[in-house]
């Protein structure tokens, strides 16, 4: 969904032709996978979505991303929300001192962007959800970045759904309101980790990423606050799922698959995922390669399969398959999309180290983890960790049902260290980054826990009443009490101070 499209609306003829093209693309991709030479494995990449907050107000969303981007480098681009931008870090090799290069590259780019933003009265907030964001904001007429692809996405989701978007989440407190657009999706800012893999290794890498998704999310949770309420430890997961859900309630009850999808089975090839995309999901943006001006083949000679790749970008798997035709040789990547942004650059680098190390370890085991754990268990672990963070209980082969913090400390973090060593990461960097995630698991202090403990301190332990009934489609969202609003503004200011200090979140004092 990063590329611009040529139209905001599509005809029945467009959709019919697109369906046929998807099948043709799928067959072409299958043939190409069996005969082509792909680029090898080893390179990594990172994308970070960032919130823009207004310095002149109590850190309210600043709808000025286009003006800011005019002064930033080409590595930054717009996101769907006018208060979001995205940083695309250049690819690099993880071996040796690659993780340190990643940390330093992120810090350098973010600090330069921060200085530019402050000149426009804007603060950059790297958090999974901006804590000061309130439900009433989603009716703001200028919430969206000006681009045809975002207008088309919004229109297509609402047309498929046939009604307004309902956000309904039960956590420590609850929210229940309707939005007239997909605006709540813009609340979710993530870090996306890329890993290039050879075709023969794709299935084991993706399966490993799915298996570890729950513990990975628990370790890095950083978005417990949404619309002024205490909800899940990683509230991005239900907000994102519901905000761009094309299913009305009747299709949800029938078990139709959501477009934000964990999946339902282990795979044997990257082809399995693209085949599922075509089999289960109707097109949202049926733009042909002719309308897009795309070539049949890339400079590498690889098929561009434009329609199939555009379709893949409108199915939001938490671990998404990526095929890039390339200029020299094509390559495949696993795009890990489940982490929230922040809290700090060093925490981000430590999260990356844990992920890359553990994926390598699990994908290399002689007896794969996914031969001993059902896919449904991996999915249950994922949602349990999204709800409860480091307080979650998960099931793991040979360990049974255990606290995820205990599993991390005793099993997964040591395995991640072994995986990094096998990749060839320098020993001192393994000690540094693995030490950070170990201390986070031992103390139970990730970004979500710091935000919740800070809120307890500043609003006196206030608990807002749960919703007593269903939201009215034309009703206003429940207001946030002034004491809570002031506490959230203070917390965001304290978060910003510590974010730029770059000490790991488990060492942060409460405000």
């Amino acid at each position: 969904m990063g590329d611009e499209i040529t139209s905001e609306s599509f005809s029945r003829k467009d959709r019919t032709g697109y369906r046929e093209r998807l099948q043709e693309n799928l067959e072409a991709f299958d043939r190409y996978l069996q005969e082509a030479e792909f680029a090898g494995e080893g390179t990594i990449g990172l994308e970070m979505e960032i919130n823009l907050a207004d310095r002149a107000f109590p850190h309210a969303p600043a709808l000025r991303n286009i003006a800011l981007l005019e002064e930033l480098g080409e590595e930054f681009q717009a996101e769907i929300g006018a208060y979001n931008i995205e940083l695309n870090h250049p690819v690099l090799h993880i071996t040796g001192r690659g993780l340190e290069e990643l940390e330093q590259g992120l810090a350098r780019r973010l600090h330069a962007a921060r200085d530019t933003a402050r000149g426009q009265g804007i603060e950059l907030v790297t958090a999974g959800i901006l804590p000061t964001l309130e439900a009433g904001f989603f009716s703001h007429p200028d919430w969206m970045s000006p681009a045809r692809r975002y207008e088309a996405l919004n229109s297509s989701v609402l047309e498929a759904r046939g009604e307004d978007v309902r956000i309904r989440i039960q956590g420590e407190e609850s929210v229940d309101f309707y939005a007239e657009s997909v605006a709540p999706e813009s609340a979710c800012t993530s870090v996306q980790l890329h890993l290039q893999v050879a075709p023969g290794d794709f299935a084991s890498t993706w399966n490993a990423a799915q298996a570890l998704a729950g513990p990975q999310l628990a370790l890095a949770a950083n978005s417990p606050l949404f619309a002024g309420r205490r909800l899940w430890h990683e509230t991005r997961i239900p907000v994102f799922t519901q905000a761009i859900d094309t299913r009305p309630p009747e299709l949800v009850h029938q078990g139709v698959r959501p477009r934000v999808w964990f999946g339902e089975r282990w795979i044997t090839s990257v082809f399995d995922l693209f085949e599922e995309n075509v089999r289960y999901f109707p097109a949202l943006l049926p733009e042909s390669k002719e309308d897009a001006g795309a070539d049949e083949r890339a400079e590498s000679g690889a098929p561009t399969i434009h329609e199939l790749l555009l379709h893949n970008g409108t199915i939001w798997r938490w671990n998404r398959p990526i095929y890039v035709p390339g200029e020299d040789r094509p390559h495949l990547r696993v795009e890990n999309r489940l982490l929230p942004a922040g809290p700090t650059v060093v925490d981000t680098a430590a999260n990356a180290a844990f992920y890359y190390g553990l994926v390598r370890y699990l994908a290399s085991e002689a007896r794969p983890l996914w031969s001993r754990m059902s896919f449904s268990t991996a999915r249950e672990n994922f949602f349990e960790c999204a709800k409860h963070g480091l307080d979650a209980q998960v099931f793991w082969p040979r360990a049974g049902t255990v606290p995820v913090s205990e599993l991390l400390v005793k099993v997964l973090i040591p395995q991640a260290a072994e995986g990094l060593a096998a990749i060839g990461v320098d020993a001192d960097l393994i000690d540094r980054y693995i030490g950070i995630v170990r201390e986070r698991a031992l103390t139970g202090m990730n970004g979500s826990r710091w935000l919740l403990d800070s809120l307890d301190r500043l609003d006196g332990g206030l608990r807002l009443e749960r919703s007593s009934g269903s939201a009215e489609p034309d009703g206003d969202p429940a207001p946030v009490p002034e004491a809570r609003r002031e506490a959230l503004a203070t917390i965001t200011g304290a978060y910003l101070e510590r974010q730029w200090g770059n000490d790991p979140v488990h060492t942060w004092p409460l405000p």
Side-chain angles (χ1 to χ4, degrees), residues 65 70 80 102 190 218 299 354 482:
N65 64 349
E70 290 175 355
I80 189 169
L102 177 67
S190 66
E299 291 183 27
F354 174 78
E482 190 59 34

Side-chain angles (χ1 to χ4, degrees), residues 68-78 85-88 109 112-113 116:
L68 177 59
L69 288 167
E70 290 175 355
E71 296 189 38
L72 297 179
E74 61 182 13
E75 294 170 336
F76 290 86
Q77 64 184 40
I85 59 173
E86 180 179 78
L87 166 61
N88 293 282
R109 290 168 173 82
T116 301

